[in-house]
């Protein structure tokens, strides 16, 4: 995305959306939920695209980040913003436990990560003195008011999660353009050959896993303080894995902004359109839409839009030369 377009979109997102929807708590709440999914989706795409690993277990990092942040804020009095960052650190540390799975490839890695998510969920349920057990944690501290901005309200929460998503996408873009990104792309074609020329493929994969877990943990921590309660079944729910994957594929997980566009598109379409038309079973329409997208544009929505824009531009140029 060109810098001018990106700045215009960000200005619209930071100023335009609060001005238009600031008085509509329902719509703004849906946008916050869509951006929460977008944050996990970007983290998942970073690991899937650059690390070449498809994970079915990002709910593990989401849940760990949620609980670490909530427990630090509730029991140790850590300021909420600092606790949110430490929630990401907790998820990154937890990702070290999943690193034996890096030896696996394809569906075996994906299933191993799914198993880790279930293990973390069981631990959160059993560690009752710390996590509250199956009953969970209530009255988790909300975001404070800073310089007159009430971050505990929906508009403040929107600004926080938007900032998390933008920073995650910019980090994704920076890594993709770096020497690390080039090495990771080369690993997709032939990992053995890159090892021969001295590329530390295992270390790079591990770094992508830790970074992806950190981002997911921060998003999970944000969600815990935004909704102010937490239960193991909710924090480690498969929703936090399935929806981000669907959004990333729909938007185009090999592009930086595809997961963000995909998350906003499928979640808002589902909640504002499909749910109104079909109160029960509206997810079927979403599934059908995803199938259509995969069949007609396997790369996702963003590559499709880029191709259409390029064809239109070429058509205009051809018409001008005629």
């Amino acid at each position: 995305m060109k810098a001018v377009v990106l700045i215009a979109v960000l200005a619209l997102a930071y100023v335009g959306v609060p001005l238009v929807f600031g008085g509509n708590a329902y719509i703004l709440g849906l946008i916050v939920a869509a951006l929460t999914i977008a944050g996990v989706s970007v983290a998942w795409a970073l690991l899937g695209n650059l690390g070449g690993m498809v994970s079915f277990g990002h709910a593990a990092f989401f849940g760990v980040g949620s609980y670490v942040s909530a427990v630090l804020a509730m029991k140790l009095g850590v300021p909420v913003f600092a606790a949110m960052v430490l929630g990401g650190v907790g998820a990154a540390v937890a990702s070290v436990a999943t690193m034996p799975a890096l030896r696996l490839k394809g569906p075996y890695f994906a299933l191993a990560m799914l198993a880790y998510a279930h293990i973390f969920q069981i631990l959160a349920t059993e560690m009752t003195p710390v996590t509250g057990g199956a009953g969970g944690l209530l009255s988790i501290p909300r975001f404070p008011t800073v310089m007159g901005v009430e971050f505990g309200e929906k508009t403040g929460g929107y600004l926080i999660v938007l900032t998390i998503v933008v920073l995650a996408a910019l980090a994704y873009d920076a890594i993709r353009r770096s020497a690390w990104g080039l090495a990771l792309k080369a690993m997709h074609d032939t990992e053995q050959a890159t090892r021969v020329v001295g590329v530390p493929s295992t270390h790079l994969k591990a770094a992508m896993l830790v970074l992806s877990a950190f981002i997911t943990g921060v998003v999970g921590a944000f969600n815990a303080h935004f909704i102010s309660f937490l239960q193991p079944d909710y924090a480690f729910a498969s929703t936090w894995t399935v929806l981000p994957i669907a959004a990333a594929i729909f938007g185009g997980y090999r592009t930086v902004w595809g997961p963000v566009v995909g998350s906003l598109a499928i979640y808002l379409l589902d909640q504002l359109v499909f749910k109104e038309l079909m109160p029960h079973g509206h997810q079927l329409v979403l599934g059908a839409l995803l199938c259509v997208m995969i069949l007609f544009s396997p790369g996702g929505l963003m590559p499709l839009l880029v191709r259409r824009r390029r064809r239109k531009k070429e058509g205009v140029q051809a018409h001008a030369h005629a």
Side-chain angles (χ1 to χ4, degrees):
M1 188 180 291
K2 292 182 178 178
V4 176
V5 177
L6 178 60
I7 292 171
V9 171
L10 290 180
L12 184 65
Y14 275 101
V15 180
V17 171
L19 283 176
V20 174
F21 299 112
N24 191 327
Y26 175 66
I27 296 294
L28 201 56
L30 291 180
I31 296 173
V32 170
L35 286 172
T36 303
I37 295 167
V40 183
S41 188
V42 170
W44 181 87
L46 185 148
L47 183 66
N49 186 24
L50 297 185
M53 295 170 284
V54 176
S55 166
F56 286 174
H58 265 50
F61 307 134
F62 188 91
V64 171
S66 302
Y67 269 103
V68 169
S69 184
V71 169
L72 287 176
M74 291 182 73
K75 300 184 182 296
L76 299 180
V78 176
V80 174
F81 282 110
M84 188 175 70
V85 176
L86 291 173
V89 173
V93 171
S95 72
V96 175
T98 69
M99 285 191 180
L102 290 177
R103 295 175 177 271
L104 305 173
K105 292 184 179 180
Y108 303 104
F109 173 80
L111 292 175
M113 295 301 289
L114 180 62
Y116 277 114
H118 282 292
I119 291 171
F120 284 124
Q121 181 178 354
I122 292 169
L123 289 174
T125 305
E126 296 299 324
M127 295 171 66
T128 304
V130 178
T131 64
L137 300 172
L138 299 175
S139 302
I140 297 171
R142 291 180 174 275
F143 292 102
T145 298
V146 180
M147 299 177 68
V149 180
E150 297 179 350
F151 288 104
E153 300 298 325
K154 280 198 167 51
T155 302
Y158 165 76
L159 295 174
I160 294 171
V161 72
L162 175 64
T163 302
I164 293 172
V165 171
V166 169
L167 291 177
L170 292 177
Y172 181 5
D173 189 42
I175 294 171
R176 195 178 64 156
R177 295 171 184 272
S178 69
W180 279 24
L182 293 175
L184 288 162
K185 287 178 184 176
M187 282 166 47
H188 286 188
D189 298 328
T190 168
E191 186 171 342
Q192 292 296 334
T194 51
R195 284 182 178 175
V196 170
V197 298
V199 175
S201 59
T202 303
H203 293 170
L204 288 178
K205 283 183 177 181
M208 290 302 102
L209 179 60
V210 170
L211 179 59
S212 182
F214 173 78
I215 295 171
T216 307
V218 170
V219 177
F222 160 79
N223 190 61
H225 293 290
F226 185 71
I227 63 175
S228 194
F229 76 92
L230 210 54
Q231 287 180 322
D233 290 346
Y234 170 78
F236 295 92
S238 60
T239 302
W240 300 117
T241 295
V242 175
L243 272 180
I245 292 176
I249 293 173
F250 184 85
Y253 78 100
R254 293 192 183 280
T255 65
V256 173
W257 297 101
V260 181
V261 173
S263 299
L264 291 169
I266 67 168
Y267 189 78
L268 295 181
L269 272 176
D270 182 55
Q271 294 296 313
L272 294 175
V273 180
F274 302 151
K275 195 174 181 180
E276 289 294 323
L277 297 174
M278 191 187 297
H280 301 289
H282 52 93
Q283 293 89 349
L284 290 174
V285 182
L286 192 63
L289 183 64
L290 182 61
C291 290
V292 170
M293 177 60 72
I294 293 172
L295 287 173
F296 289 95
S297 181
L301 183 62
M302 285 295 284
L304 179 65
L305 295 176
V306 170
R307 284 200 302 273
R308 286 177 63 86
R309 185 183 174 191
R310 188 177 300 154
R311 287 173 186 167
K312 186 177 180 181
K313 187 177 179 180
E314 289 173 353
V316 171
Q317 290 175 344
H319 182 72
H321 289 300

